[in-house]
């Protein structure tokens, strides 16, 4: 056994590091955190703010293996990442593995190269408790906020919701932007563009320096232009420069990968993690734009050899953010000699990082900007043409220019022909087009990251999980918004005559941008009304500053918790006791048929329209909203239309046909089969012919592709990817198979493997009671309905094996379930009792649970 045990947090990292260390070192992975706060319950003593950490069930076997390895090693090297999370992983390992200070060393490195690893071994340190405490403070504070605010949402909005310090602020940004867009009133104006010709018939595109508010003003100008002799009034040429951007931080990498490669934040971080662990780039979670002297020299050498000395301009950048965490380096290649790597997907991101770092060390681009003024003294306003020439490309040679999502596409500056002052120009066309102002754009993932960073909310490592969480919770989504149509006026002056046309213009459409859901808006409004401070951008940023102070040793983390909780908890109690329920209720009008109120609101299953009141003698009736509809914007007329659904059509092939809308959108129901109506198609427009077309398309898609032992096999694509279906079994099809061209042997292989797995799944099964003992990934377990329970140890403290579990009686299994959940079987009787219970009794039954909490 090796004298030295090195523990890192990922197997890929372990594999790379093992290559650089000799026989005396063994490298093992902890697979991230080995322990954390418990998944159930708060897990924090709120009197002392002491966390109750536990080793998660899936890590117990690993911890046992690590303890055995520790016993055989003379020295343990804790080599987790160099940020706060990595420091906390090292601290948990040291504590759980009972490592003494004299038998452990903490090493850090921001790149996985041989030099960096050996240098780290030569310069060990101990665990930095300040960094650990900063991570604990974040974890504990976020747990308290989530665990105390979420039950308030269950009680006041809808069961199953969650709140979080950073996620709720991110949702607020998206909701506020959406409200801003809704309230925006577009203003029209007329913009004039001209195309002029010089003596050589070369075109010069120019814009009038003045916009007109009214159609008459624009038309009057065109009338004046008819008889005007246009001249070059002025030509101005200015030298200018463009400089490269700083090397990547986590945030700028996420933004640029989104703009240039179309990667989402989660995908970018996953690929960057792999590049880091395989030794290609430096650590990918950083706020710093700083480069080491070694990196600057390496870039200089590569630039001179590839482009020439005139392209080299070594420089260092300083981080503007006062809260930049620890002394990290920017994200850069570890070796500038490696220009590309084998894996195509990894290579795309690597190339982006490689070229950005190289460009940051290159000379400025030199440009020459030309502005030509065109007009006549008789005209009240003149045209202006702008263009530029790149004299020396500098850093653009490596990186090029990328536009941000805020830049106007119309501002493309072109190369202009040579003209001189006084030269007469003729116009080819002068066009006046009605243009409308646009609201602020919805957030893309990159835009949201940029805004969070700008406000000082969260840290590089939190952006990806935060964005994923708010989508998983269905507070926001990226559904496509269909554009609307409006009419615009366009007037063209060509050959001394003005032609006027009215055109249709699409506007307001969007895709792949964040849009709040109905529940997201209701939750946001409730939280901003009742927890102003927690949802305040400034407060969230100040909390981050507090974590920084803890990391620097300037504040004690439990004092920060005490101060926060003393203000936060009384607010929770007050809101729980006194706040009104939130449903986002909008009164749309009165139903002409019944004379009852029509409401748009959040119900138990989401957004809905309700006719009537809940306390009326006659129960209210409900209709689900369709995709793209929203309780904040739906009109009375649109709401009433929804009650036309579902409607019946004629039978088809002996089965009834109807059209409706459900939780997953509009559908055609044929017998017992629900078939989704294609995106963007109005369900109210579906007639018998169209319904039959949709059914036939479904039949074609569901037609068997093969048989297995005489039974049909079909295929489809679901939530978890492509699958084949045999009887009641859904079998995922891995990427190694050609899904579009599955052979009979492929199908046999997939089904055989699934049947074998299913055969080994059950040790014992009691179908009537919905109880089974099953083989799981981490060993046998009990399943009761959808709930899972542990199998206790035997009286001699050893585990049951599979053979012994085959002889366990149903009564014994029920006892094991009851030991873990006293109400497991009592709860099953509730539905029957509920039928006879009045509304009043149900309410009373709920009260003790609320008091208990």
């Amino acid at each position: 056994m090796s004298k030295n045990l090195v523990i890192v947090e990922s197997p890929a990292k372990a594999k790379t590091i093992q290559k650089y260390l000799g026989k005396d070192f063994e490298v093992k992975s902890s697979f991230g955190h080995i322990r954390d706060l418990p998944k159930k319950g708060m897990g924090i003593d709120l009197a002392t703010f002491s966390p109750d950490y536990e080793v998660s069930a899936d890590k117990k076997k690993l911890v046992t293996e690590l303890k055995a390895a520790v016993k055989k090693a003379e020295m343990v090297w804790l080599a987790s990442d160099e940020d706060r999370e990595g420091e906390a992983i090292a601290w948990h390992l040291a504590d759980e593995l009972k490592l003494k200070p004299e038998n452990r060393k903490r090493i850090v490195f921001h790149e996985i190269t041989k030099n960096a690893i050996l240098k780290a071994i030569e310069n060990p340190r101990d665990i930095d408790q300040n960094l650990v405490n900063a991570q604990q403070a974040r974890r504990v504070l976020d747990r308290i906020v989530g665990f105390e605010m979420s039950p308030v949402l269950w009680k006041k909005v809808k069961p199953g919701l969650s709140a979080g310090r950073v996620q709720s602020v991110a949702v607020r940004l998206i909701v506020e932007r959406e409200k801003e867009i809704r309230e925006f009133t577009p203003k029209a104006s007329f913009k004039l563009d001209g195309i002029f010709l010089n003596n050589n018939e070369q075109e010069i595109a120019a814009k009038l320096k003045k916009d007109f508010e009214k159609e008459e003003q624009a038309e009057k100008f065109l009338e004046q232009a008819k008889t005007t002799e246009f001249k070059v009034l002025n030509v101005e040429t200015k030298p200018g420069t463009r400089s490269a951007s700083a090397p990547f931080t986590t945030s700028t990498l996420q933004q640029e990968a989104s703009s240039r490669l179309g990667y989402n934040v989660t995908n970018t971080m996953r690929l960057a993690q792999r590049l880091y662990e395989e030794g290609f780039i430096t650590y990918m979670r950083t706020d710093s734009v700083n480069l080491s002297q070694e990196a600057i020299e390496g870039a200089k050498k590569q630039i001179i050899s590839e482009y020439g000395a005139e392209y080299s301009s070594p420089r260092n950048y300083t981080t503007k953010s006062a809260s930049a965490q620890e002394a990290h380096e920017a994200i850069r290649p570890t070796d500038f000699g490696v220009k590309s790597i084998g894996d195509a997907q990894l290579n795309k991101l690597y190339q982006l990082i490689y070229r950005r770092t190289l460009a940051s060390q290159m000379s400025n681009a030199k440009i020459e900007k030309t502005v030509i003024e065109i007009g006549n003294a008789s005209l009240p306003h003149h045209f202006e043409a702008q263009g530029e020439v790149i004299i020396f490309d500098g850093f653009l040679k490596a990186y090029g220019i990328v536009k941000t999502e805020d830049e106007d596409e119309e501002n493309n500056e072109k190369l202009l022909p040579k003209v001189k002052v006084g030269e007469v120009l003729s116009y080819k066309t002068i066009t006046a087009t009605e243009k409308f102002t646009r609201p602020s754009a919805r957030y893309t993932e990159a835009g949201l990251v940029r805004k969070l960073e700008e406000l000082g909310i969260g840290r590089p490592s939190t952006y990806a999980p935060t964005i994923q969480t708010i989508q998983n919770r269905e507070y926001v989504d990226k559904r496509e918004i269909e554009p609307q149509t409006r009419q615009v006026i366009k007037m063209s002056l060509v050959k001394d005559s003005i032609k006027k046309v009215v055109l249709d213009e699409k506007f307001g459409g969007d895709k792949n941008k964040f849009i709040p859901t109905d529940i997201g808006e209701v939750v946001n409004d409730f939280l901003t009304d009742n927890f102003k401070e927690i949802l305040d951008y400034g407060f969230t940023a100040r909390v981050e500053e507090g974590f920084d102070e803890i990391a620097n040793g300037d504040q004690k983390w439990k004092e920060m918790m005490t101060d926060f909780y003393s203000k936060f908890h009384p607010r929770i109690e007050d809101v729980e006791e006194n706040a009104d329920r939130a449903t986002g209720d909008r009164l749309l009008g009165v139903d002409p048929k019944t004379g009852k109120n029509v409401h748009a609101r959040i119900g138990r299953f989401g957004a809905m329209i309700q006719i009537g009141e809940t306390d009326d003698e006659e129960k209210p009736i409900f209709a689900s909203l369709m995709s793209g509809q929203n309780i904040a914007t739906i009109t009375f007329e649109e709401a009433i239309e929804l009650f036309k659904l579902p409607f019946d059509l004629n039978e088809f092939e002996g089965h009834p046909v109807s059209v409706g809308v459900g939780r997953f959108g509009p559908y055609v129901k044929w017998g017992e089969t629900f078939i989704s109506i294609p995106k963007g198609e109005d369900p109210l427009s579906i007639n018998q012919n169209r319904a039959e077309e949709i059914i036939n398309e479904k039949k074609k898609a569901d037609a068997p592709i093969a048989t297995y032992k005489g039974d049909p096999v079909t295929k489809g694509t679901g939530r978890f990817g492509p699958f084949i279906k045999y009887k009641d079994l859904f079998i995922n099809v891995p990427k190694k198979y050609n899904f579009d061209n599955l052979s009979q042997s492929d199908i046999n292989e997939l089904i055989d493997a699934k049947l074998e797995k299913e055969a080994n799944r059950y040790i014992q099964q009691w179908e009537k009671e919905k109880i089974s003992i099953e083989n799981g990934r981490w060993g046998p377990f009990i399943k009761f309905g959808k709930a899972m329970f542990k199998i206790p140890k035997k009286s001699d403290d050893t585990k049951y094996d599979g053979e012994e579990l085959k002889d366990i009686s149903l009564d014994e299994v029920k006892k094991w379930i009851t030991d873990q959940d006293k109400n497991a079987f009592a709860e099953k009787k509730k539905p029957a009792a509920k039928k006879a219970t009045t509304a009043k009794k149900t309410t009373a039954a709920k009260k003790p649970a609320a008091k208990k909490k």
Side-chain angles (χ1 to χ4, degrees):
M1 188 71 188
S2 304
K3 294 178 183 177
N4 295 281
L5 173 67
V6 181
I7 306 178
V8 296
E9 69 271 70
S10 84
K13 195 173 170 184
K15 194 176 174 184
T16 310
I17 291 172
Q18 185 72 69
K19 291 189 297 185
Y20 302 133
L21 298 172
K23 296 176 190 173
D24 288 340
F25 288 85
E26 183 189 15
V27 187
K28 281 189 169 288
S29 168
S30 70
F31 293 83
H33 277 282
I34 58 162
R35 67 180 191 183
D36 195 4
L37 294 171
K39 286 185 179 177
K40 290 185 179 178
M42 175 76 78
I44 298 160
D45 182 339
L46 293 172
T48 61
F49 298 103
S50 300
D52 180 21
Y53 295 117
E54 65 176 27
V55 175
S56 51
D58 60 333
K59 291 290 178 75
K60 285 185 177 173
K61 187 180 175 186
L62 174 70
V63 169
T64 304
E65 289 170 5
L66 288 175
K67 282 180 177 175
V70 164
K71 283 179 184 174
K72 296 172 185 175
E74 292 176 15
M75 180 61 67
V76 178
W77 303 77
L78 301 169
S80 48
D81 290 340
E82 61 170 335
D83 58 6
R84 295 170 193 174
E85 203 70 31
E87 206 69 24
I89 288 172
W91 176 72
H92 282 297
L93 282 165
D95 195 55
E96 188 63 33
L97 303 178
K98 307 282 188 290
L99 302 179
K100 294 175 183 173
E102 61 269 21
N103 297 116
R104 74 181 190 218
K105 286 180 180 176
R106 171 83 172 112
I107 52 171
V108 293
F109 34 84
H110 59 269
E111 61 184 66
I112 304 177
T113 57
K114 188 169 185 177
N115 284 346
I117 304 301
L118 297 178
K119 192 175 177 183
I121 295 280
E122 288 166 17
N123 298 280
R125 60 171 173 81
D126 202 359
I127 292 165
D128 186 332
Q129 197 60 42
N130 290 332
L131 296 184
V132 174
N133 290 342
Q135 190 273 345
Q136 287 196 96
R138 179 188 293 280
R139 189 78 184 89
V140 169
L141 189 142
D142 287 349
R143 171 61 69 100
I144 290 170
V145 170
F147 266 67
E148 295 216 345
M149 279 171 73
S150 297
V152 177
L153 292 178
W154 306 342
K155 191 175 175 182
K156 300 293 182 181
V157 185
K158 183 174 170 270
L161 299 175
S162 78
R165 182 179 61 87
V166 178
Q167 75 171 50
S168 298
V169 174
V171 173
R172 181 185 173 188
L173 281 168
I174 294 162
V175 170
E176 287 183 349
R177 179 59 57 89
E178 195 64 28
K179 287 181 177 178
E180 191 184 322
I181 292 166
R182 273 183 214 144
E183 290 161 12
F184 181 80
T185 306
K187 288 182 181 175
S189 63
F190 285 80
K191 293 180 183 292
L192 274 78
D193 297 279
I195 295 176
F196 299 90
L197 301 172
N198 65 4
N199 294 331
N200 299 323
E201 295 291 305
Q202 291 173 301
E203 290 186 358
I204 303 168
K207 295 178 184 294
L208 194 71
K209 292 199 272 184
K210 162 80 175 174
D211 294 339
F212 296 111
E213 286 182 21
K214 295 179 181 173
E215 180 187 342
E216 300 80 35
Q217 294 170 321
E219 194 169 3
K220 183 183 174 184
F221 184 88
L222 291 178
E223 288 288 353
Q224 286 176 284
K226 259 190 204 181
T227 54
T228 299
E229 182 183 61
F230 286 95
K231 291 181 180 179
V232 175
L233 300 177
N234 190 29
V235 179
E236 195 177 353
T237 305
K238 295 178 185 173
T241 59
R242 279 216 175 106
S243 53
S245 299
F248 281 131
T249 61
T250 305
S251 164
T252 54
L253 176 64
Q254 290 169 354
Q255 292 168 46
E256 196 83 333
S258 174
S259 302
R260 289 205 176 199
L261 306 176
Y263 288 176
N264 65 31
V265 172
T266 305
N267 198 27
T268 299
M269 292 311 290
R270 181 178 60 79
L271 294 172
Q273 179 90 29
R274 280 185 61 194
L275 285 171
Y276 166 65
E277 288 176 348
E278 291 176 30
F280 292 111
I281 63 168
T282 53
Y283 191 50
M284 68 290 156
R285 290 192 182 95
T286 174
D287 295 343
S288 175
V289 290
N290 178 52
L291 289 177
S292 67
Q293 199 54 45
E294 183 187 345
I296 291 170
E297 289 299 323
K300 180 182 175 183
K301 185 180 172 185
Q302 184 64 31
I303 291 162
I304 291 170
S305 70
E306 195 169 339
Y307 303 115
E310 70 274 23
Y311 281 91
S312 175
S313 178
R315 71 194 84 168
N316 214 335
Y317 295 82
T318 53
T319 307
K320 290 177 184 176
S321 170
S323 59
Q325 207 189 103
E326 287 95 53
H328 290 173
E329 207 179 336
I331 304 169
R332 63 165 177 83
T334 54
D335 180 358
F336 288 98
V338 179
K339 293 183 69 174
S340 65
I341 54 181
D343 185 299
Q345 203 181 20
L346 283 180
N347 190 48
K348 280 186 181 178
L349 193 65
Y350 179 74
Q351 287 294 308
L352 196 67
I353 295 164
Y354 183 91
R355 293 200 305 270
R356 171 82 163 226
T357 314
L358 219 56
S360 76
Q361 300 301 303
M362 291 173 73
S363 307
N364 290 343
K366 292 177 184 173
I367 58 171
E368 187 175 81
K369 189 169 185 175
T370 304
V371 179
I372 302 172
E373 190 177 354
I374 302 165
N376 188 293
S378 64
L379 289 174
H381 311 290
H382 299 148
F383 287 88
E384 188 176 83
Q386 291 191 10
E388 61 179 44
V389 180
I390 295 171
I391 308 297
F392 172 64
D393 52 3
F395 78 92
L396 298 174
K397 188 112 176 166
Y399 200 62
I401 301 170
V402 67
K403 279 183 175 290
T404 71
E405 61 195 46
D406 302 323
E407 285 185 81
D408 195 331
E409 288 176 15
E410 294 176 8
N411 285 341
N412 288 336
E413 294 179 334
K414 301 174 184 72
L415 190 62
L416 297 172
K418 291 282 183 189
V419 290
K420 55 188 177 185
V421 175
E423 186 177 333
V424 175
L425 305 174
S426 60
Y427 69 81
K428 185 179 178 182
T429 60
I430 298 176
T431 309
T433 311
E434 188 178 18
K435 298 277 186 182
F436 287 87
T437 52
R438 293 182 297 183
S440 302
R442 291 180 175 93
Y443 289 109
T444 57
E445 285 203 5
L448 186 60
V449 165
R450 185 161 61 246
K451 189 66 178 177
L452 289 168
E453 186 184 42
E454 182 188 305
L455 294 169
I457 292 163
R459 281 294 175 266
S461 58
T462 66
Y463 297 142
T466 296
I467 286 170
Q468 196 59 55
T469 298
I470 62 177
Q471 290 176 89
N472 293 347
R473 299 289 184 194
E474 296 182 352
Y475 289 156
V476 303
D477 59 26
K478 292 181 181 176
R479 66 185 179 275
E480 191 172 337
I481 292 184
E482 293 294 322
Q484 298 169 264
T485 305
R486 66 184 166 205
Q487 291 188 324
V488 295
I489 297 165
K490 185 175 182 179
M491 295 179 282
S492 302
L493 171 60
V494 183
K495 293 180 182 176
D496 300 332
S497 70
I498 297 171
K499 184 184 174 186
K500 188 189 293 188
V501 291
V502 177
L503 305 170
D504 283 340
E505 177 187 69
K506 301 279 188 189
F507 75 99
D510 243 335
K511 58 182 176 183
N512 212 29
K513 304 269 185 77
F514 284 123
I515 303 157
T517 60
D518 287 302
I519 195 67
E521 287 201 48
V522 171
V523 166
N524 175 73
D525 292 348
F526 178 81
L527 292 176
T528 46
D529 287 346
N530 293 287
F531 296 99
K532 283 190 177 70
E533 188 174 55
I534 299 295
L535 272 286
D536 177 67
Y537 302 132
F539 167 78
T540 313
R542 285 194 298 277
V543 168
E544 296 294 346
E545 288 168 11
F547 296 150
D548 293 339
E549 287 174 11
I550 293 164
N552 296 331
D554 299 330
Q555 186 178 167
K556 292 182 178 175
W557 77 275
K558 289 192 177 179
E559 286 179 8
M560 179 186 176
M561 292 299 105
T562 304
D563 180 57
F564 166 78
Y565 195 67
S566 65
K567 297 165 189 166
F568 175 68
H569 187 67
R571 184 71 196 135
I572 289 282
E573 291 178 325
D574 179 49
V575 172
E576 201 166 27
E577 191 66 35
N578 302 313
D580 294 329
R581 276 192 68 81
T583 59
D585 191 292
R586 272 181 72 221
L587 181 61
L588 301 178
V590 176
D591 177 28
K593 287 183 184 175
T594 62
K596 292 182 177 182
N597 287 336
V598 180
H599 300 267
R601 59 184 286 268
I602 291 289
R604 191 177 165 195
F605 299 109
M608 65 179 190
I609 304 298
Q610 174 182 311
I611 297 179
E613 308 298 335
T614 48
D615 52 4
D616 286 350
E617 264 187 54
E618 194 179 345
K619 285 185 178 179
I621 58 170
F622 307 96
S624 296
L625 271 69
M626 286 193 281
S627 174
Q629 291 181 324
N630 184 290
I631 60 175
T633 57
I634 193 168
T635 64
F636 174 75
E637 291 72 24
E638 289 168 340
I640 292 297
E641 283 285 296
L642 293 172
F643 288 90
K644 293 179 181 175
L645 294 163
F647 60 85
D648 294 325
L649 294 169
N650 298 329
E651 279 193 2
F652 179 62
E653 295 182 356
H655 296 292
V657 178
S658 61
V659 177
V661 64
R663 206 171 155 196
F664 303 107
Y667 60 80
V668 171
K669 188 181 180 190
W670 179 50
E672 293 305 310
T673 305
F674 290 85
I675 309 163
S676 291
I677 290 171
K679 199 174 177 184
E681 197 167 341
D682 182 0
L684 292 166
S685 70
I686 304 290
N687 57 22
Q688 186 70 28
N689 288 342
R690 180 63 185 129
E692 289 178 16
E693 279 176 19
I694 290 169
I695 293 165
N696 285 327
E697 284 164 15
K698 175 70 172 169
K699 282 169 68 182
K700 189 178 174 184
D702 287 353
I705 57 163
T707 58
Y708 179 86
K709 294 184 179 176
D711 289 306
V713 178
T714 58
K715 74 174 184 177
T717 302
R719 216 177 138 184
F720 303 108
F723 65 84
I724 58 172
K725 188 184 178 194
Y726 168 66
K727 293 186 175 178
D728 292 330
L729 290 177
F730 288 87
I731 304 152
N732 289 332
V733 178
K735 284 182 181 176
K736 68 177 182 177
Y737 294 92
N738 182 349
F739 182 65
D740 295 325
N741 192 23
L742 289 169
S743 66
Q744 184 65 50
S745 63
D746 290 338
I747 288 162
N748 292 347
E749 191 178 304
L750 286 161
I751 297 173
D752 286 342
K754 182 70 172 179
L755 290 172
E756 187 183 342
K757 187 179 176 185
E758 286 294 304
N760 295 327
R761 178 178 165 189
Y762 295 104
I763 296 170
Q764 279 205 77
Q765 188 178 14
W766 297 272
E767 284 189 38
K768 190 179 173 186
E769 287 80 3
K770 294 184 179 175
I771 295 174
S772 56
I773 303 176
E774 299 181 20
N775 281 309
R777 190 175 169 191
W778 311 108
F781 66 95
I782 301 165
K783 192 168 182 186
F784 175 35
K786 290 184 180 179
M788 287 178 278
F789 297 89
K790 293 177 183 177
I791 292 173
K793 288 183 179 178
K794 294 187 285 189
S795 54
D796 61 358
D797 206 35
T798 58
K799 290 181 180 179
Y800 286 94
D801 61 31
E803 288 301 314
E804 290 171 317
L805 289 170
K806 284 180 183 176
D807 299 326
I808 298 294
S809 69
L810 174 60
D811 287 340
E812 183 69 9
V813 174
K814 283 185 173 181
K815 183 178 178 298
W816 289 347
I817 294 170
T818 310
D819 288 345
Q820 293 170 63
D821 182 356
K822 289 175 185 176
N823 299 316
F825 296 99
E827 281 180 6
K828 290 187 78 63
K829 294 175 188 175
K830 279 188 180 177
K834 220 173 186 178
K835 283 184 184 177
T837 310
T838 64
K840 274 188 179 177
K841 284 180 184 172
T842 306
T843 311
K846 284 182 182 175
K847 280 184 181 173
K851 280 181 184 172
K852 190 178 177 185
K853 185 204 164 296

